[in-house]
PDB file of all heavy atoms in Angstrom:
ATOM      1  N   GLY A 189       1.298  -6.334   9.412  1.00  0.00           N
ATOM      2  CA  GLY A 189       2.525  -6.874   8.915  1.00  0.00           C
ATOM      3  C   GLY A 189       2.310  -8.401   8.521  1.00  0.00           C
ATOM      4  O   GLY A 189       1.318  -8.788   8.062  1.00  0.00           O
ATOM      5  N   ASP A 190       3.382  -9.109   8.747  1.00  0.00           N
ATOM      6  CA  ASP A 190       3.350 -10.549   8.540  1.00  0.00           C
ATOM      7  C   ASP A 190       4.196 -11.384   9.536  1.00  0.00           C
ATOM      8  O   ASP A 190       4.708 -12.422   9.238  1.00  0.00           O
ATOM      9  CB  ASP A 190       3.712 -10.861   7.078  1.00  0.00           C
ATOM     10  CG  ASP A 190       5.220 -10.496   6.897  1.00  0.00           C
ATOM     11  OD1 ASP A 190       5.901  -9.866   7.677  1.00  0.00           O
ATOM     12  OD2 ASP A 190       5.751 -10.891   5.727  1.00  0.00           O
ATOM     13  N   LEU A 191       4.296 -10.884  10.716  1.00  0.00           N
ATOM     14  CA  LEU A 191       5.001 -11.532  11.816  1.00  0.00           C
ATOM     15  C   LEU A 191       6.431 -11.855  11.408  1.00  0.00           C
ATOM     16  O   LEU A 191       6.973 -12.865  11.573  1.00  0.00           O
ATOM     17  CB  LEU A 191       4.257 -12.811  12.257  1.00  0.00           C
ATOM     18  CG  LEU A 191       3.050 -12.498  13.159  1.00  0.00           C
ATOM     19  CD1 LEU A 191       2.493 -13.987  13.662  1.00  0.00           C
ATOM     20  CD2 LEU A 191       3.503 -11.792  14.414  1.00  0.00           C
ATOM     21  N   ARG A 192       7.023 -10.694  10.790  1.00  0.00           N
ATOM     22  CA  ARG A 192       8.447 -10.670  10.667  1.00  0.00           C
ATOM     23  C   ARG A 192       8.849  -9.583  11.682  1.00  0.00           C
ATOM     24  O   ARG A 192       8.254  -8.538  11.779  1.00  0.00           O
ATOM     25  CB  ARG A 192       8.933 -10.377   9.340  1.00  0.00           C
ATOM     26  CG  ARG A 192       8.813 -11.395   8.325  1.00  0.00           C
ATOM     27  CD  ARG A 192       9.046 -10.814   6.954  1.00  0.00           C
ATOM     28  NE  ARG A 192       8.338  -9.721   6.499  1.00  0.00           N
ATOM     29  CZ  ARG A 192       8.949  -8.520   6.567  1.00  0.00           C
ATOM     30  NH1 ARG A 192      10.162  -8.284   6.828  1.00  0.00           N
ATOM     31  NH2 ARG A 192       8.177  -7.483   6.206  1.00  0.00           N
ATOM     32  N   GLY A 193       9.926  -9.889  12.504  1.00  0.00           N
ATOM     33  CA  GLY A 193      10.345  -8.851  13.502  1.00  0.00           C
ATOM     34  C   GLY A 193      11.790  -8.507  13.336  1.00  0.00           C
ATOM     35  O   GLY A 193      12.578  -9.161  12.714  1.00  0.00           O
ATOM     36  N   MET A 194      12.064  -7.304  13.914  1.00  0.00           N
ATOM     37  CA  MET A 194      13.333  -6.778  13.910  1.00  0.00           C
ATOM     38  C   MET A 194      13.846  -6.745  15.419  1.00  0.00           C
ATOM     39  O   MET A 194      13.260  -6.080  16.196  1.00  0.00           O
ATOM     40  CB  MET A 194      13.434  -5.360  13.349  1.00  0.00           C
ATOM     41  CG  MET A 194      14.853  -4.782  13.113  1.00  0.00           C
ATOM     42  SD  MET A 194      14.759  -3.109  12.268  1.00  0.00           S
ATOM     43  CE  MET A 194      14.064  -3.616  10.655  1.00  0.00           C
ATOM     44  N   THR A 195      15.018  -7.440  15.788  1.00  0.00           N
ATOM     45  CA  THR A 195      15.418  -7.584  17.046  1.00  0.00           C
ATOM     46  C   THR A 195      15.925  -6.236  17.628  1.00  0.00           C
ATOM     47  O   THR A 195      16.368  -5.382  16.789  1.00  0.00           O
ATOM     48  CB  THR A 195      16.453  -8.624  17.252  1.00  0.00           C
ATOM     49  OG1 THR A 195      17.629  -8.265  16.397  1.00  0.00           O
ATOM     50  CG2 THR A 195      15.983  -9.974  16.705  1.00  0.00           C
ATOM     51  N   ALA A 196      15.933  -6.130  18.971  1.00  0.00           N
ATOM     52  CA  ALA A 196      16.377  -4.862  19.615  1.00  0.00           C
ATOM     53  C   ALA A 196      17.876  -4.759  19.524  1.00  0.00           C
ATOM     54  O   ALA A 196      18.420  -3.771  19.290  1.00  0.00           O
ATOM     55  CB  ALA A 196      15.989  -4.976  20.984  1.00  0.00           C
ATOM     56  N   ALA A 197      18.586  -5.972  19.541  1.00  0.00           N
ATOM     57  CA  ALA A 197      19.987  -5.994  19.380  1.00  0.00           C
ATOM     58  C   ALA A 197      20.443  -6.398  17.934  1.00  0.00           C
ATOM     59  O   ALA A 197      20.198  -7.524  17.563  1.00  0.00           O
ATOM     60  CB  ALA A 197      20.657  -6.927  20.376  1.00  0.00           C
ATOM     61  N   GLY A 198      20.968  -5.464  17.162  1.00  0.00           N
ATOM     62  CA  GLY A 198      21.481  -5.797  15.882  1.00  0.00           C
ATOM     63  C   GLY A 198      20.393  -5.543  14.765  1.00  0.00           C
ATOM     64  O   GLY A 198      20.855  -5.584  13.569  1.00  0.00           O
ATOM     65  N   GLY A 199      19.183  -5.444  15.090  1.00  0.00           N
ATOM     66  CA  GLY A 199      18.182  -5.157  13.995  1.00  0.00           C
ATOM     67  C   GLY A 199      18.115  -6.330  13.010  1.00  0.00           C
ATOM     68  O   GLY A 199      17.810  -6.203  11.867  1.00  0.00           O
ATOM     69  N   GLU A 200      18.287  -7.540  13.510  1.00  0.00           N
ATOM     70  CA  GLU A 200      18.216  -8.702  12.630  1.00  0.00           C
ATOM     71  C   GLU A 200      16.773  -9.129  12.303  1.00  0.00           C
ATOM     72  O   GLU A 200      15.871  -8.957  13.251  1.00  0.00           O
ATOM     73  CB  GLU A 200      18.837  -9.936  13.274  1.00  0.00           C
ATOM     74  CG  GLU A 200      20.362  -9.664  13.593  1.00  0.00           C
ATOM     75  CD  GLU A 200      20.869 -10.770  14.504  1.00  0.00           C
ATOM     76  OE1 GLU A 200      20.153 -11.249  15.480  1.00  0.00           O
ATOM     77  OE2 GLU A 200      22.046 -11.157  14.274  1.00  0.00           O
ATOM     78  N   GLU A 201      16.433  -9.570  11.131  1.00  0.00           N
ATOM     79  CA  GLU A 201      15.192 -10.031  10.816  1.00  0.00           C
ATOM     80  C   GLU A 201      14.845 -11.446  11.255  1.00  0.00           C
ATOM     81  O   GLU A 201      15.598 -12.275  11.010  1.00  0.00           O
ATOM     82  CB  GLU A 201      14.939  -9.903   9.316  1.00  0.00           C
ATOM     83  CG  GLU A 201      13.536 -10.309   8.789  1.00  0.00           C
ATOM     84  CD  GLU A 201      13.354 -10.132   7.227  1.00  0.00           C
ATOM     85  OE1 GLU A 201      14.430 -10.188   6.592  1.00  0.00           O
ATOM     86  OE2 GLU A 201      12.235 -10.021   6.831  1.00  0.00           O
ATOM     87  N   ARG A 202      13.765 -11.576  11.965  1.00  0.00           N
ATOM     88  CA  ARG A 202      13.376 -12.896  12.460  1.00  0.00           C
ATOM     89  C   ARG A 202      11.938 -13.222  12.132  1.00  0.00           C
ATOM     90  O   ARG A 202      11.130 -12.357  11.984  1.00  0.00           O
ATOM     91  CB  ARG A 202      13.548 -12.986  14.006  1.00  0.00           C
ATOM     92  CG  ARG A 202      14.921 -12.615  14.527  1.00  0.00           C
ATOM     93  CD  ARG A 202      15.824 -13.908  14.424  1.00  0.00           C
ATOM     94  NE  ARG A 202      17.130 -13.584  14.981  1.00  0.00           N
ATOM     95  CZ  ARG A 202      17.374 -13.636  16.356  1.00  0.00           C
ATOM     96  NH1 ARG A 202      16.443 -13.820  17.210  1.00  0.00           N
ATOM     97  NH2 ARG A 202      18.605 -13.335  16.818  1.00  0.00           N
ATOM     98  N   LEU A 203      11.556 -14.535  11.945  1.00  0.00           N
ATOM     99  CA  LEU A 203      10.291 -14.970  11.985  1.00  0.00           C
ATOM    100  C   LEU A 203       9.815 -14.973  13.437  1.00  0.00           C
ATOM    101  O   LEU A 203      10.567 -15.155  14.347  1.00  0.00           O
ATOM    102  CB  LEU A 203      10.154 -16.402  11.530  1.00  0.00           C
ATOM    103  CG  LEU A 203      10.666 -16.675  10.074  1.00  0.00           C
ATOM    104  CD1 LEU A 203      10.467 -18.105   9.734  1.00  0.00           C
ATOM    105  CD2 LEU A 203      10.019 -15.709   9.121  1.00  0.00           C
TER     106      LEU A 203
END
Side-chain angles (χ1 to χ4, degrees):
D190 62 353
L191 282 183
R192 291 173 304 107
M194 190 175 294
T195 61
E200 298 167 324
E201 184 180 22
R202 301 276 181 87
L203 302 181

